[in-house]
Amino acid sequence: MDLSFLVVVVIITALVFDFTNGFHDTANAMATSIATGALRPKVAVAVSAVLNLVGAFLSTAVAKTISSGLVDDSKMTVPIIFGGLVGAILWNLVTWYFGLPSSSSHALFGGLIGATWIAAGASAVNFATVVQKILIPAVAAPIVAGVVALLGTFLAYKITQRARKKSVNDGFRAGQVASASLVSLAHGTGDAQKTMGVITLVLITSGSLAQGSAPPTWVIFAAGLAIALGTYFGGWRIIRTMGKGLTEIESPQGFTAETSSTAVLLTSSHLGFPLSTTQVCSGSILGAGLGKRLAQVRWSVAGRMAMAWLFTLPSAAIIGAMAGRVADTGNAGVVIVATLAIVAGGGLYVAARRRPVTAENVNEYPGSTAPAPTTATAA
């Protein structure tokens, strides 16, 4: 097997995953601002893209967790990493097609774990790290973010109950521009690092970097740029679900949801916990919905999201394991896996175009009776 060829292929594949991560997770930062009219859809994704790129340079703690903590890098091979990435990309595209805000982070972890386990055995997976830094935070983080958002929403409405509704909405919409921007910054800080960690792991595995090395500057820039471009592309199907599908969001709820998410995400990134931005932000939106008296929460949508979360790790692991096994047969295997992945991804994109969700109809959720919001800011 031509190792140099495979390293290049895997780095490109990692950046493709980063791109899908960007458009898959744009909703985390901007769905509520778009739903309330605080920002126009296309302006929102442009702002989010720039801040994702900036956020990528703020920390590398999560990248080090992935490159030297999740799996035993001495037992890794480049085809294993390739298979894991393919598993993550395909699961991202499947959930995007159905408009389900599942975790890109867990798709990546599942793909890597499945490919590693099938090729190098269970001993190559650091299950203590998986439990401590992935599974436990995955359960705790959305609950914490949801409780904080619930309390924040309750207080926001309590404090402003005597004020004019228009003044309250206008004020919180202006605040949402700042709070949504902070979520984008936090997303870049956390999620771009995951691709940095994978590319660094590839370079360590191929002998280009010493074990335990931090991501080189060019890796940080490439990962930040890829996720920023994906964010600008706009994952409108998921933005619609998070902004209009879970609950009818008003500007005070949007502000508290975004602020809660930012606090949890930035704290976890600097502690090296690779949290799912999707789960944190979804928890915040649910909490914000419950924090307003008589607010409507669509539990059927929340249930479908929970099922997607539950199946993300094992589904990506199965796809990653199969892709890694085929890729491990040589260059021909790598080409076969890449071709099948491109065909599958292209098929999902073509199918999605039959019922497109765009910046123009993103706030038109099926079954919603609330009118589309009017954009309050000049942006």
Side-chain angles (χ1 to χ4, degrees):
M1 182 178 295
D2 185 348
L3 188 59
S4 59
F5 163 77
L6 189 53
V7 168
V8 172
V9 169
V10 174
I11 290 175
I12 292 172
T13 306
L15 294 175
V16 170
F17 164 76
D18 209 21
F19 180 86
T20 67
N21 190 350
F23 77 73
H24 196 279
D25 290 0
T26 309
N28 299 336
M30 291 299 176
T32 53
S33 292
I34 292 171
T36 63
L39 286 168
R40 293 191 182 100
K42 291 186 178 179
V43 173
V45 296
V47 170
S48 187
V50 171
L51 291 172
N52 267 280
L53 178 58
V54 173
F57 288 88
L58 296 184
S59 174
T60 58
V62 172
K64 291 177 183 176
T65 296
I66 294 172
S67 64
S68 59
L70 187 61
V71 293
D72 185 350
D73 52 25
S74 66
K75 296 181 180 180
M76 292 292 291
T77 64
V78 180
I80 290 175
I81 301 172
F82 176 68
L85 286 168
V86 170
I89 290 170
L90 290 180
W91 185 251
N92 267 357
L93 292 176
V94 168
T95 49
W96 162 78
Y97 173 76
F98 288 105
L100 293 173
S102 68
S103 170
S104 297
S105 305
H106 287 186
L108 176 60
F109 302 147
L112 288 175
I113 290 169
T116 302
W117 197 339
I118 201 71
S123 62
V125 180
N126 296 329
F127 286 103
T129 301
V130 172
V131 172
Q132 179 184 359
K133 291 202 170 186
I134 297 176
L135 296 183
I136 292 176
V139 174
I143 295 174
V144 171
V147 170
V148 173
L150 187 153
L151 294 175
T153 300
F154 174 79
L155 289 174
Y157 279 105
K158 191 73 174 175
I159 293 169
T160 60
Q161 63 182 345
R162 296 180 183 274
R164 287 192 311 145
K165 185 172 182 179
K166 183 179 185 305
S167 299
V168 171
N169 285 336
D170 289 348
F172 276 110
R173 279 176 179 170
Q176 274 193 274
V177 176
S179 59
S181 298
L182 286 173
V183 177
S184 295
L185 192 69
H187 181 258
T189 303
D191 279 43
Q193 287 189 63
K194 290 154 192 171
T195 299
M196 294 178 210
V198 171
I199 294 176
T200 303
L201 184 59
V202 171
L203 296 174
I204 290 172
T205 302
S206 64
S208 301
L209 286 177
Q211 289 192 5
S213 296
T217 302
W218 71 266
V219 172
I220 297 173
F221 178 77
L225 183 61
I227 201 169
L229 289 173
T231 300
Y232 184 71
F233 187 81
W236 304 113
R237 304 173 84 84
I238 299 175
I239 290 174
R240 172 188 276 182
T241 300
M242 290 188 72
K244 287 292 185 179
L246 277 174
T247 184
E248 294 296 339
I249 289 285
E250 295 181 350
S251 53
Q253 295 166 289
F255 177 78
T256 54
E258 291 159 0
T259 305
S260 303
S261 299
T262 300
V264 173
L265 290 169
L266 287 178
T267 300
S268 66
S269 292
H270 288 288
L271 292 176
F273 291 109
L275 291 186
S276 162
T277 310
T278 301
Q279 292 181 353
V280 171
C281 293
S282 299
S284 294
I285 292 172
L286 276 175
L290 293 171
K292 180 179 182 293
R293 187 181 178 187
L294 302 179
Q296 177 189 12
V297 175
R298 297 184 181 92
W299 292 108
S300 60
V301 176
R304 290 197 297 272
M305 286 171 50
M307 291 300 293
W309 292 359
L310 184 64
F311 283 104
T312 291
L313 269 169
S315 298
I318 291 170
I319 299 171
M322 294 188 296
R325 176 58 64 88
V326 175
D328 206 23
T329 61
N331 289 345
V334 173
V335 172
I336 290 172
V337 171
T339 302
L340 291 175
I342 291 170
V343 170
L348 287 169
Y349 178 78
V350 170
R353 298 307 301 165
R354 294 176 182 172
R355 288 187 175 181
V357 180
T358 66
E360 285 69 36
N361 66 2
V362 67
N363 281 328
E364 299 171 9
Y365 189 80
S368 174
T369 56
T374 313
T375 305
T377 66

